[in-house]
């Protein structure tokens, strides 16, 4: 039987390597089985140690787990896709991934792993004038190499992140192995109704990253306190009515509209809080009131951060 991805996963972005083992073991004890990882998060070796510790302690088996990783932008060329996947597998200490995703529809010049890993966005961060260097690699070629990973058994499923509707139509026109998953930023300020509806039409499961909204962007100065969905009056009122926290309401809205969610928390109480959202249902009116908060407010936007941080205007959303 094909394994199913749990619709509440655990996001590993911005978890420091030193904290990974403790957090993964705590998260598995809390009930998480789906972990969302990426080469670019710079912590896959530590994640691997955490998964191994949990397995060695008898908390779970590999088969109980759903592990996602992502192909970084510098490895889009077909010559580099398998080595990138193998590197993630070896760091994660796994024989296969459940899902491997193209992290961004952005191809950057390859950086050898021994020069810098993860390569991040800049080609030459030590240079006097560091550059973010685009590579001319069509996404179709990258996808062909992703399909080969499935054929070789390195990953069970493949998918994409941060694609818009146009790219999704294009991908579906040439994919021999169809993407099973689309991962996009989505929360009450960025509801993405059209893209989610299109993915459903194509039979692609959608995972919402940053499902709580701005929270994970405060510390990296990409959001302001006023951007907080959890302090919205509507959300707080609905939380009181259901005797839940505002975070639980926002996350419940996420799964009730059919997306998977991958909140991250370093705190065991909040880890459990974020899982404890299946014992109540939001009414149609409550769902609509939360969706009405949409402001097309995107926190993770290469069109903004690439220019600010890396000196290259590089939008991927219009
Ligand atoms: P913490 O790790 O201290 O719990 P995202 O998953 O969108 O990246 O968001 C993660 C951010 O939201 C982290 O800053 C995390 O902080 C915080 N967070 C996670 N769960 C909750 C919750 N239930 N209530 C409030 N903040 C939360």
């Amino acid at each position: 039987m094909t394994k199913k991805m749990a619709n509440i996963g655990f996001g590993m972005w911005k978890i420091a390597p030193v904290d990974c083992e403790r957090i993964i073991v705590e998260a598995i004890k809390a009930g998480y089985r789906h972990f969302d990882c990426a080469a670019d998060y710079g912590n896959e070796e530590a994640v691997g140690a955490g998964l191994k510790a949990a397995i060695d302690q008898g908390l779970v088996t590999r088969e109980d787990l759903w592990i996602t990783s992502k192909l970084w932008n510098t490895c889009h060329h077909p010559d580099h896709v398998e080595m990138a996947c193998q590197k993630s597998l070896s760091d994660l200490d796994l024989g296969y991934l459940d899902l491997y995703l193209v992290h961004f529809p952005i191809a950057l010049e390859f950086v050898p792993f021994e020069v810098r890993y993860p390569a991040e966005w800049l080609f030459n961060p030590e240079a006097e004038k560091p550059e973010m260097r685009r590579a001319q690699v069509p996404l179709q070629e990258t996808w062909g190499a992703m399909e080969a990973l499935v054929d070789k058994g390195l990953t069970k499923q493949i998918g994409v992140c941060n694609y818009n509707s146009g790219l999704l139509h294009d991908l579906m026109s040439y994919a021999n192995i169809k993407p099973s998953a689309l991962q996009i930023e989505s929360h009450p300020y960025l509801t993405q109704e059209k893209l989610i509806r299109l993915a459903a039409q194509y039979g692609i499961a959608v995972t919402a990253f940053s499902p709580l909204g701005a929270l994970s962007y405060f510390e990296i100065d990409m959001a302001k306190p006023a951007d907080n969905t959890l302090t919205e009056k509507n959300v707080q009122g609905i939380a009181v009515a259901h005797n839940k926290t505002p975070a639980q309401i926002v996350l419940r809205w996420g799964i009730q509209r059919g997306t998977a969610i991958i909140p991250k928390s370093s705190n065991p109480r909040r880890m459990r809080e974020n899982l404890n959202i299946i014992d109540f249902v939001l009414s149609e009116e409550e769902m609509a009131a939360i969706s009405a908060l949409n402001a097309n407010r995107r926190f993770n936007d290469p069109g903004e951060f690439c220019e600010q941080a890396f000196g290259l205007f590089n939008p991927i959303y219009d």
Side-chain angles (χ1 to χ4, degrees):
M1 208 181 73
T2 320
K3 210 195 294 178
K4 220 173 153 278
M5 183 178 86
N7 66 348
I8 309 173
F10 193 92
M12 296 306 300
W13 183 41
K14 290 202 276 85
I15 298 188
V18 63
D19 295 325
C20 282
E21 184 166 333
R22 173 186 62 83
I23 288 178
I24 285 185
V25 170
E26 288 280 6
I28 286 176
K29 284 184 180 164
Y32 291 90
R33 295 294 178 266
H34 162 190
F35 290 88
D36 184 79
C37 313
D40 186 56
Y41 300 164
N43 57 10
E44 286 193 320
E45 244 184 303
V47 171
L51 297 174
K52 184 172 185 317
I55 292 169
D56 287 350
Q57 286 174 38
L59 298 173
V60 278
T61 65
R62 168 67 185 94
E63 292 316 301
D64 297 328
L65 296 168
W66 178 283
I67 309 296
T68 299
S69 183
K70 309 190 189 87
L71 176 78
W72 186 238
N73 306 345
T74 50
C75 294
H76 274 213
H77 191 280
D79 288 350
H80 304 134
V81 171
E82 184 180 336
M83 62 190 271
C85 182
Q86 293 278 17
K87 169 75 172 139
S88 281
L89 282 171
S90 122
D91 284 353
L92 291 165
D93 201 8
L94 299 175
Y96 68 91
L97 296 169
D98 294 282
L99 177 64
Y100 197 47
L101 302 171
V102 177
H103 204 148
F104 279 98
I106 298 173
L108 297 179
E109 193 159 325
F110 178 64
V111 176
F113 298 168
E114 60 278 14
V115 171
R116 199 170 64 255
Y117 189 89
E120 303 187 323
W121 293 85
L122 289 171
F123 179 71
N124 47 0
E126 311 299 337
E128 200 177 314
K129 283 194 181 160
E131 290 166 279
M132 182 180 141
R133 276 198 203 159
R134 292 192 188 111
Q136 304 299 313
V137 185
L139 288 166
Q140 182 170 0
E141 289 184 13
T142 305
W143 190 254
M146 294 286 285
E147 291 173 331
L149 302 178
V150 178
D151 294 338
K152 287 193 172 174
L154 301 181
T155 184
K156 302 282 182 201
Q157 300 184 16
I158 48 177
V160 294
C161 307
N162 300 305
Y163 273 40
N164 62 15
S165 298
L167 288 178
L168 215 55
H169 285 300
D170 191 46
L171 171 58
M172 293 305 287
S173 76
Y174 56 67
N176 294 312
I177 299 177
K178 304 291 180 206
S180 65
L182 167 69
Q183 189 176 123
I184 51 170
E185 178 179 344
S186 191
H187 42 71
Y189 290 157
L190 183 68
T191 53
Q192 306 244 47
E193 265 105 13
K194 286 183 185 163
L195 184 52
I196 290 173
R197 196 173 151 198
L198 179 69
Q201 195 184 74
Y202 280 131
I204 302 171
V206 174
T207 298
F209 75 77
S210 306
L212 290 166
L215 294 184
S216 49
Y217 298 90
F218 294 145
E219 63 189 87
I220 48 177
D221 214 18
M222 284 164 69
K224 302 265 173 303
D227 293 321
N228 192 348
T229 55
L230 306 187
T231 52
E232 285 284 348
K233 269 213 175 69
N234 256 339
V235 171
Q236 296 201 334
I238 297 170
V240 170
H242 287 277
N243 198 20
K244 291 281 176 182
T245 66
Q248 287 173 315
I249 297 304
V250 168
L251 296 177
R252 173 73 209 183
W253 169 85
I255 57 167
Q256 199 169 313
R257 67 203 291 257
T259 62
I261 53 170
I262 45 169
K264 160 249 164 191
S265 179
S266 311
N267 173 296
R269 185 180 56 76
R270 286 192 285 277
M271 286 177 193
R272 288 192 296 276
E273 178 181 324
N274 295 347
L275 276 177
N276 185 14
I277 57 171
I278 54 171
D279 59 347
F280 72 108
V281 175
L282 296 169
S283 68
E284 260 178 51
E285 294 73 32
E286 289 168 333
M287 288 295 288
I290 299 169
S291 298
L293 295 173
N294 184 38
N296 296 322
R297 175 79 172 90
R298 194 184 290 281
F299 298 107
N300 196 325
D301 187 349
E304 300 273 329
F305 69 76
C306 287
E307 185 164 32
Q308 281 162 19
F310 315 123
L312 183 69
F313 177 52
N314 198 59
I316 56 171
Y317 313 109
D318 297 329

